[in-house]
Amino acid sequence: MKYLVLLLIFLNLSCKSDKKAPVILEVHDFAGVAPYLELEGSKTYVVNFWATWCAPCIQELEAFNEEYEQRKSEFNIEIIAVSIDDVRTKNRVKPLVNGRNWNFTILMDTNQDLKRVLGVINPPYTFVVKDGKIV
């Protein structure tokens, strides 16, 4: 099943939500840098919350990765995968990502602050942001 292709189909729909996309703060990359990401502009963002212990999450991200390189410029998308692994499991994230050769942005929400702000209950949880709004 090609999750990314299914998500891209939805991108052709107009934004039906007035909910403004969040500015992602307080998440870090592997080097501990906290990037400032505004999910606005002409680019479409696919934001996925996942964890190393979640088998469906890994399957979904594998499917995203299969299509991402050829589709990212075609549809002007960027995938941001946010790991919600906590302090006990966060050391598993980097080896898993490196072993899978995922070519999209990986961020760490170790304290799960962003997860709580967005109301994410269980992974995998994916949403799409287009024109600064959650689709």
Side-chain angles (χ1 to χ4, degrees):
M1 185 180 252
K2 303 292 185 194
Y3 297 103
L4 183 57
V5 173
L6 292 175
L7 286 171
L8 294 173
I9 291 170
F10 290 111
L11 296 180
N12 291 325
L13 302 173
S14 62
C15 294
K16 294 185 178 178
S17 172
D18 290 333
K19 188 173 183 181
K20 188 147 175 63
V23 174
I24 297 181
L25 296 171
E26 301 304 319
V27 290
H28 301 87
D29 61 15
F30 293 135
V33 175
Y36 180 79
L37 297 172
E38 279 192 64
L39 305 180
E40 298 181 334
S42 62
K43 189 176 282 190
T44 299
Y45 297 89
V46 176
V47 181
N48 177 271
F49 286 82
W50 68 286
T52 57
W53 45 263
C54 171
C57 298
I58 306 302
Q59 292 172 339
E60 186 173 72
L61 290 172
E62 281 291 306
F64 286 173
N65 195 55
E66 287 176 15
E67 299 289 325
Y68 185 53
E69 283 304 312
Q70 71 184 47
R71 305 278 186 208
K72 70 180 179 181
S73 60
E74 179 182 352
F75 291 101
N76 194 25
I77 64 168
E78 181 177 345
I79 295 176
I80 301 170
V82 181
S83 168
I84 58 168
D85 283 273
D86 60 18
V87 293
R88 293 172 295 168
T89 59
K90 73 178 183 176
N91 291 333
R92 299 179 191 166
V93 176
K94 188 174 182 178
L96 177 78
V97 170
N98 289 340
R100 301 286 180 152
N101 293 316
W102 291 338
N103 295 316
F104 35 82
T105 303
I106 306 289
L107 299 176
M108 306 284 292
D109 186 22
T110 306
N111 293 330
Q112 300 184 359
D113 295 327
L114 183 61
K115 175 188 166 202
R116 277 190 290 283
V117 166
L118 294 174
V120 174
I121 297 171
N122 292 316
Y125 186 90
T126 303
F127 64 93
V128 177
V129 177
K130 184 173 181 176
D131 298 326
K133 294 182 181 177
I134 297 174
V135 178

